[in-house]
Amino acid sequence: GNCFKMVSITKEMQHMIEQKHQLKNVTTIYNPINIEEIMERADEPISIDFEFIIGVGQYDTNVKQFDKLVYAYSQSILPKKNIHLVILGEGSLKSKLIEIAKQNGVENKLHLLGYKSNPYKYIKQSKFYVLSSAHEGMPMVLLESLVCCTPIVSFDCKTGPSEIIEDRKNGLLVINQSIDKLIETMNLFITDKALYQYCKSNTLQSAKKYSVYTIGKQWLELMEIN
C-alpha cells in the first residue's frame, strides 16, 4: 500500500483494484505495441487463396471458447458465402473443434493451422478477427489486429475488449456470451459493406495510442522524468 503509484493494464482492472483495495493511487498504462514491426511482418505473403475470418490462441483450456466460435461460424452466412474460418494456435481440444465442425457441415471450411511465429500476415489477410473468449486480460492480439487493418468482432467480456473496440467504429462489440448475437454480428459485417469498410478504415488510427512512443511517454510522465 505504500507505493507511489500502482499501474494497471486496463481501466476495468483499475476499477476492480481500486474497489477491492480502496486505493486512490492506481493508474492505467496499456502495454505498448511495436506498430512498425507488426506492419512490416504483416506484409509477408501467405499461401491461402480463399476469403477467411480468424481467431488466435491456445486451446488446451477453453478460455478462448473456440468451440463457440466454430458453432457460431457454422450457423452464420459465412460458409454459404465461401468465407472460411482460420484458427492459429494449438491445444488438446483440437479433435473437439473438428467434431463440432463435422456435426455442423463446415469441416472443409475450418482450418486449424497450428502455432505460427508470424500471425500478423494471416490476420492482415483476414476479413475480420473474432474474439469469443470467456474473459481476457488485456488482449494484445486485438491491438495487433487493428495495426494489421483488420476490424474486430468481439464478445464484450472482461477485461479489455470494450477499451480497445469502439463499437461500429473499428469493430463490433457483442453482448457478452450471446451466441445468437455473435452469429448476427458476424453476418452484419458481411452484409453491411459500408459499415465494414468504415470500421476497417479506422483500424490503424485507433491503435496508435498504444504505440511504444505514446506509452513510453506516459511512463516518463508517471515517474516525473522529462
Side-chain angles (χ1 to χ4, degrees), residues 20-224:
K20 187 170 179 213
H21 302 290
Q22 305 298 304
L23 293 172
K24 297 250 184 294
N25 62 338
V26 189
T27 187
T28 294
I29 298 183
Y30 294 109
N31 286 328
I33 44 169
N34 188 329
I35 291 181
E36 290 71 27
E37 187 197 344
I38 293 167
M39 287 176 80
E40 197 176 307
R41 294 179 66 201
D43 277 339
E44 290 177 17
I46 59 169
S47 52
I48 290 182
D49 56 358
F50 46 77
E51 283 194 299
F52 64 96
I53 60 167
I54 196 165
V56 178
Q58 302 310 95
Y59 41 92
D60 278 319
T61 65
N62 203 22
V63 174
K64 297 285 175 194
Q65 301 189 133
F66 288 136
D67 54 344
K68 290 187 178 177
L69 174 55
V70 172
Y71 176 74
Y73 165 77
S74 77
Q75 301 304 305
S76 76
I77 62 174
L78 278 72
K80 298 178 207 52
K81 299 217 173 259
N82 212 21
I83 298 164
H84 296 229
L85 170 60
V86 166
I87 297 176
L88 305 184
E90 33 206 27
S92 51
L93 298 172
K94 185 172 182 175
S95 54
K96 186 185 174 190
L97 300 182
I98 293 168
E99 188 49 44
I100 294 166
K102 276 201 178 118
Q103 285 166 359
N104 293 283
V106 293
E107 71 271 25
N108 59 340
K109 292 195 168 76
L110 170 66
H111 308 269
L112 303 174
L113 300 185
Y115 169 78
K116 297 289 178 192
S117 58
N118 178 1
Y120 312 124
K121 57 184 182 178
Y122 294 92
I123 295 171
K124 169 121 193 208
Q125 301 291 333
S126 69
K127 282 196 79 64
F128 55 86
Y129 186 96
V130 190
L131 187 137
S132 53
S133 304
H135 52 83
E136 283 286 345
M138 172 64 176
M140 298 303 285
V141 70
L142 295 189
L143 297 178
E144 293 160 353
S145 184
L146 294 174
V147 174
C148 295
C149 297
T150 299
I152 299 156
V153 168
S154 173
F155 275 151
D156 190 1
C157 63
K158 286 187 177 324
T159 63
S162 65
E163 293 175 44
I164 297 169
I165 299 163
E166 295 175 76
D167 190 42
R168 301 178 84 91
K169 180 94 185 282
N170 61 1
L172 302 173
L173 284 170
V174 179
I175 293 169
N176 196 20
Q177 306 308 316
S178 166
I179 302 274
D180 288 344
K181 281 287 175 209
L182 182 58
I183 296 165
E184 207 176 288
T185 307
M186 283 163 50
N187 287 348
L188 180 64
F189 244 174
I190 299 303
T191 56
D192 191 335
K193 292 186 172 58
L195 175 66
Y196 174 78
Q197 281 309 329
Y198 177 70
C199 289
K200 191 169 176 69
S201 72
N202 290 317
T203 45
L204 179 57
Q205 195 52 45
S206 69
K208 290 209 167 136
K209 60 173 179 278
Y210 302 99
S211 71
V212 173
Y213 173 74
T214 307
I215 303 284
K217 249 175 33 179
Q218 289 172 356
W219 276 105
L220 295 176
E221 282 162 16
L222 174 73
M223 298 185 285
E224 293 168 9

